[in-house]
Amino acid sequence: MGEQLRVLLADDEALFRSTLRLLIDATPGMAVVGEAATGSAAVELASERAADVVVMDVRMPELDGIDATARITALPQAPKVLVLTTFDLDDYVYRALHAGAGGFLLKEIRPNQLLDAIRVIAAGEALLAPSVTRRLIAEFTRRPASQARPRRELSGITQREAEVLALITRGLSNTEIEQHLHLSRSTVKTHIGRLMTKLAARDRAQLVIAGYESGLADRR
């Protein structure tokens, strides 16, 4: 991206926000355009500041990060949301993705990983921490049928598109999908574009949800 990435920080810890601001403002091509200490303030700022990416904590006063994410992603020209938390819990991941988050990472990540994640989210890619992806898949596959969420039917997609969706759901990047299925980069992008159209997915994160709900995450 040629233009500067505009980042909004939403976290109730002032020291953590300050640390992130120093990191992001010192990075060429990025700038912090606002800080919010509550979920409701994050929603208000997101509607005013034209941010590209919101870095959102889960546990926030007034309005938690998941509900704030849902309201932000429903805004006209909504920014992408990267959920960043200390809590590696499956239900948070599922709820965050359903709320429209583009990614979910743990606060233990290194500074360069966070900066990379902001770039990935801004570009429209979904991003899950590897440990989160593994735990989420394990959770879906171990649940008894009575506890599992209703299976989502995937109508109108081809066998190859189903294979691509299964790999997206497992957290593979486009490059990894190319290598796994022996496809060209343009072919993988075409399959992903068709999946987003057929499944009415706003972004890659929603494809991940569709994959989990359809049972494709169980495939190996």
Side-chain angles (χ1 to χ4, degrees):
M1 290 186 182
E3 298 182 358
Q4 192 174 58
L5 285 178
R6 298 164 57 84
V7 182
L8 174 64
L9 304 177
D11 195 291
D12 62 343
E13 296 182 18
L15 180 59
F16 186 72
R17 292 198 314 272
S18 297
T19 300
L20 290 188
R21 176 182 278 275
L22 288 172
L23 172 67
I24 292 169
D25 283 343
T27 301
M30 289 188 190
V32 173
V33 295
E35 296 182 27
T38 68
S40 55
V43 176
E44 183 176 353
L45 284 176
S47 66
E48 297 173 351
R49 301 294 174 88
D52 298 301
V53 177
V54 178
V55 179
M56 176 73 71
D57 189 23
V58 169
R59 295 196 172 181
M60 299 275 284
E62 295 182 11
L63 187 70
D64 74 24
I66 306 298
D67 291 334
T69 294
R71 296 189 188 186
I72 288 171
T73 57
L75 293 171
Q77 299 180 328
K80 306 293 184 182
V81 179
L82 173 62
V83 174
L84 194 64
T85 182
T86 55
F87 303 98
D88 184 2
L89 300 178
D90 301 310
D91 189 52
Y92 279 144
V93 181
Y94 193 87
R95 289 179 58 217
L97 291 175
H98 252 296
F104 191 106
L105 291 178
L106 306 182
K107 286 184 176 180
E108 64 191 27
I109 63 171
R110 296 188 296 273
N112 65 306
Q113 291 176 312
L114 175 61
L115 296 174
D116 287 343
I118 291 172
R119 297 185 185 100
V120 168
I121 295 298
E125 297 281 330
L127 190 149
L128 294 174
S131 64
V132 172
T133 303
R134 288 193 299 270
R135 285 171 56 107
L136 190 55
I137 292 172
E139 173 70 8
F140 269 73
T141 56
R142 76 169 178 78
R143 285 179 179 174
S146 60
Q147 295 181 12
R149 292 179 174 86
R151 291 280 177 165
R152 175 172 176 172
E153 294 297 325
L154 300 178
S155 58
I157 72 172
T158 66
Q159 178 61 36
R160 180 60 89 185
E161 288 166 353
E163 292 171 349
V164 171
L165 181 57
L167 296 178
I168 290 173
T169 305
R170 287 167 52 191
L172 272 66
S173 67
N174 283 12
T175 300
E176 291 168 329
I177 293 172
E178 293 165 23
Q179 296 169 349
H180 192 89
L181 297 178
H182 306 290
L183 299 174
S184 67
R185 176 165 301 183
S186 61
T187 299
V188 170
K189 288 184 176 180
T190 296
H191 284 313
I192 293 174
R194 289 174 178 166
L195 282 167
M196 292 181 70
T197 298
K198 291 179 179 180
L199 301 177
R202 180 178 59 246
D203 53 29
R204 195 181 182 105
Q206 290 197 336
L207 290 181
V208 173
I209 294 173
Y212 281 125
E213 292 183 336
S214 66
L216 288 177
D218 304 350
R219 296 188 180 184
R220 291 292 184 272

